[in-house]
Amino acid sequence: MKLRYLKYSIYVLCALVMIACTKDKGNYDYKDINSVEINGIEDHYLIEFGSTPNINPTLEFSKDPNFKEENYSFEWISFNHGEVQLSTARKLLHTGKNFDIPLALSLGKYTLYYRVKEKSTGILWTRKFEIEVTGSIKGGWAVLSEVDNNSQLDYFEYDLETNSHPKEYRDFASYFIDSETGAQLTLEGKPKFIEGWANTTAATGTNRYLLYVGTDKKTEKINVTAGFQWSERFNFSFETLNNMELPRLDRIYPIATSQGYGMYNGVLHKRVNIANINFGNPANLLNGELVELAPFIAVNRMQITGNVALVYDKKNQRFLRCTANNTALTGSLSMAGAAFNPNAVGMDLVWMGSTNINNGSAYAVLTKDGKFHLARTTNNITTFEARYLDDISSLPGIAQAKHFEIDQIYGYLQYAVGGKLYQYDVDTKETKLMKDFGNREITMLKHNKGNYVTYTTAINPALVDKAGRRFLPVIKALIVATYDPTNPKTSGQVDFFEAPQFNMEYTTYYSFSGLGKVQDVACVEFPTGY
């Protein structure tokens, strides 16, 4: 009975289908859809890293002979075959009709898709091609600034012939993708420091010049030697003995290749490759106990075999040293010829830094009971001498000063109060207002501490148009960063000033603008410099 019912149902269904087909008169309006022929794009491109491809497609539409660009949207999308996750393998590079902006891709090979979409219908056309990013960037300056509570990296490449920086790489981090994993370099958190350093690690091999970029979240490294490459294989954790104890750094203080110091959360760390001393073991030990240090280190870069660092004990208010290949501090400093007792200073440290004068010296600004003092010491391999302790309480605005630096040639103390830049001559005791930036605020003072040629070489008349032209600003310039607090995203500027002898007026080497709130600047030279 059930079978006979099923057969009857099938007959009825077929009849209904036939009737429906009979009634369909085929009364439709067919319209040709718009189509496009995309020309002007080659199958393969070889593009130098950071350059502009300048690909200008020509579009011929079948239904739109008077093509109007505003009726369409455009996308240039890259695909990295080394990335297994689609979300990170795919990257939107540009949304203009022509690819007329710098290519934000790291070294490697990519598949690109040029997509044209008709806004009124949603019809999409695609042109596929290949692109290979090659080449390397020359030496220049890297600038780390704060934008929207995060870190932004910009890079300015130097040209020796014009003595200028014609190539600018804005939002430099966006250029870096791990060619193996497809991961994108991101700089999470607020900026802390940026530093160039030739360092040898198990992850990077021998004699790698690295650009360290530090935020309050992590420390990243860009391999300059390999042509400005970033990889998760260069992770800072591979450089430490214990990445749980040292997840990142607050500052790096290079002395020489694979020699230097780092500071994290008040703990001193030391790196000396030839002695197998690596970051991760605390170096601020005294009699087996950790000493709480102020967040400043004065290192001697004039005598690279000494690994000399002067630090300050916050609790006991005294100077301590770490030297040679030691990982412990020297607990009692020499009193020979002392102008004050470095082992019992009895003041709080405001700031400390180093200068190359006198074969390596350290300055420290100290305070107690509303008074301010400047301590000057000789700080080299064989000698520590507490030479001067001057009362500088009368210096204009010294109590409100937020940034300090020491001139590397003449030994001036330079300090910033709001938008005013002062210079104090420690010999004549003269203080001079060198620059007044008005409503702009000074966010950083710095002298670049890595001398890639000597000062004597740079001022040699025979080299004035070569080493001198390039390196005098690197050696001598006081680097000053300012910004307008009412426009923190793009008002940042960095000026490189020459400070002549006898408190003469500053002259400007060069300037960079259009930045965020600048926190640090680093010269990137070896091995791609001049």
Side-chain angles (χ1 to χ4, degrees):
M1 193 69 182
K2 291 181 179 180
L3 180 61
R4 293 173 62 186
Y5 177 77
L6 176 60
K7 290 180 178 180
Y8 176 78
S9 299
I10 293 174
Y11 293 150
V12 172
L13 178 60
C14 291
L16 289 173
V17 171
M18 292 175 67
I19 292 170
C21 292
T22 302
K23 289 182 179 180
D24 186 354
K25 303 298 183 179
N27 186 20
Y28 297 106
D29 290 328
Y30 291 97
K31 296 181 179 180
D32 293 334
I33 64 172
N34 196 9
S35 63
V36 66
E37 184 176 333
I38 303 175
N39 296 310
I41 299 180
E42 303 292 336
D43 293 330
H44 182 267
Y45 287 91
L46 197 64
I47 303 295
E48 185 177 347
F49 176 77
S51 64
T52 300
N54 287 320
I55 304 174
N56 303 306
T58 58
L59 307 174
E60 297 181 11
F61 292 92
S62 62
K63 306 294 290 184
D64 189 4
N66 299 317
F67 160 64
K68 293 183 179 179
E69 191 171 320
E70 61 267 23
N71 295 332
Y72 300 85
S73 62
F74 308 91
E75 289 182 327
W76 299 81
I77 297 170
S78 68
F79 189 82
N80 183 356
H81 297 280
E83 173 56 65
V84 295
Q85 296 293 330
L86 180 62
S87 59
T88 52
R90 180 186 184 277
K91 181 178 181 181
L92 178 62
L93 300 174
H94 186 41
T95 57
K97 174 187 173 294
N98 303 324
F99 207 129
D100 51 8
I101 64 172
L103 180 64
L105 289 176
S106 187
L107 304 182
K109 297 179 180 180
Y110 304 85
T111 298
L112 263 69
Y113 298 89
Y114 177 59
R115 306 206 311 177
V116 182
K117 183 178 181 180
E118 189 175 44
K119 294 179 180 179
S120 61
T121 64
I123 298 174
L124 185 69
W125 301 276
T126 302
R127 171 72 165 88
K128 176 184 174 182
F129 62 100
E130 305 295 323
I131 197 166
E132 183 176 355
V133 184
T134 64
S136 61
I137 298 177
K138 295 179 181 179
W141 291 93
V143 181
L144 186 65
S145 58
E146 180 181 334
V147 177
D148 291 331
N149 294 317
N150 278 299
S151 299
Q152 178 172 301
L153 179 64
D154 297 283
Y155 189 77
F156 300 85
E157 181 181 300
Y158 180 73
D159 182 82
L160 180 64
E161 296 301 320
T162 61
N163 194 32
S164 63
H165 299 79
K167 289 187 179 180
E168 300 179 0
Y169 301 88
R170 302 290 181 158
D171 192 15
F172 197 37
S174 67
Y175 287 77
F176 295 96
I177 298 174
D178 189 327
S179 60
E180 295 180 358
T181 68
Q184 170 75 55
L185 172 59
T186 58
L187 300 178
E188 301 174 1
K190 293 186 177 182
K192 297 285 288 187
F193 75 92
I194 185 168
E195 191 67 71
W197 187 21
N199 194 13
T200 304
T201 68
T204 60
T206 305
N207 296 330
R208 302 295 188 187
Y209 188 82
L210 304 167
L211 181 63
Y212 287 76
V213 185
T215 74
D216 61 4
K217 300 290 186 182
K218 59 182 179 179
T219 298
E220 294 284 2
K221 297 186 294 184
I222 296 171
N223 191 331
V224 178
T225 301
F228 280 82
Q229 289 187 356
W230 172 81
S231 168
E232 292 182 302
R233 293 184 294 110
F234 304 153
N235 193 296
F236 177 70
S237 63
F238 300 141
E239 196 171 322
T240 70
L241 295 175
N242 187 341
N243 63 353
M244 298 298 291
E245 294 293 330
L246 186 62
R248 60 177 179 83
L249 288 170
D250 294 325
R251 176 68 64 176
I252 288 177
Y253 300 83
I255 294 176
T257 299
S258 301
Q259 295 175 224
Y261 289 87
M263 179 76 84
Y264 171 67
N265 199 25
V267 178
L268 183 69
H269 294 268
K270 190 170 188 174
R271 168 76 172 137
V272 184
N273 181 56
I274 59 174
N276 200 28
I277 299 172
N278 298 300
F279 287 151
N281 281 337
N284 50 317
L285 290 168
L286 185 61
N287 299 323
E289 295 184 1
L290 280 175
V291 177
E292 184 182 4
L293 301 179
F296 302 100
I297 308 172
V299 299
N300 185 314
R301 292 180 174 84
M302 299 296 292
Q303 300 171 315
I304 62 175
T305 60
N307 296 314
V308 176
L310 187 67
V311 296
Y312 197 75
D313 180 346
K314 290 176 63 176
K315 180 180 178 181
N316 297 294
Q317 297 180 320
R318 58 179 174 173
F319 290 103
L320 300 168
R321 291 216 309 169
C322 190
T323 61
N325 296 330
N326 301 316
T327 55
L329 300 171
T330 301
S332 182
L333 300 183
S334 171
M335 289 290 293
F340 63 94
N341 186 352
N343 305 302
V345 180
M347 302 183 195
D348 293 324
L349 183 70
V350 176
W351 174 86
M352 181 165 59
S354 60
T355 177
N356 294 335
I357 64 173
N358 296 326
N359 212 21
S361 300
Y363 286 24
V365 178
L366 303 144
T367 186
K368 182 180 180 180
D369 299 331
K371 295 286 188 177
F372 289 84
H373 294 81
L374 177 64
R376 289 183 283 154
T377 70
T378 299
N379 187 46
N380 56 48
I381 298 175
T382 58
T383 305
F384 174 85
E385 184 178 347
R387 302 178 64 217
Y388 302 96
L389 185 67
D390 300 327
D391 188 339
I392 57 172
S393 303
S394 61
L395 268 57
I398 190 65
Q400 291 77 42
K402 293 183 178 180
H403 306 282
F404 300 86
E405 190 50 283
I406 318 166
D407 182 80
Q408 298 298 293
I409 307 298
Y410 307 117
Y412 303 131
L413 174 68
Q414 294 146 332
Y415 66 98
V417 182
K420 292 182 171 61
L421 174 60
Y422 292 93
Q423 183 166 282
Y424 172 65
D425 188 326
V426 297
D427 295 320
T428 67
K429 311 304 181 187
E430 177 186 359
T431 307
K432 184 177 180 180
L433 176 62
M434 304 301 295
K435 290 286 181 181
D436 188 345
F437 294 94
N439 61 355
R440 297 179 65 83
E441 180 182 330
I442 298 172
T443 60
M444 183 207 72
L445 291 183
K446 182 176 183 178
H447 280 283
N448 186 73
K449 297 301 197 301
N451 293 346
Y452 300 98
V453 301
T454 65
Y455 180 60
T456 304
T457 301
I459 62 175
N460 186 328
L463 301 174
V464 68
D465 289 328
K466 295 181 180 180
R469 172 185 281 189
R470 178 66 193 106
F471 288 105
L472 272 177
V474 176
I475 296 169
K476 291 187 64 177
L478 173 64
I479 311 170
V480 185
T482 61
Y483 88 122
D484 181 351
T486 65
N487 178 25
K489 293 183 181 180
T490 60
S491 66
Q493 179 165 317
V494 178
D495 295 297
F496 295 76
F497 296 125
E498 179 187 9
Q501 198 173 8
F502 308 122
N503 283 336
M504 301 295 288
E505 298 296 325
Y506 287 168
T507 57
T508 304
Y509 285 115
Y510 34 71
S511 302
F512 307 136
S513 60
L515 304 161
K517 185 179 179 181
V518 176
Q519 298 300 306
D520 204 1
V521 176
C523 179
V524 183
E525 283 301 327
F526 179 85
T528 56
Y530 298 89

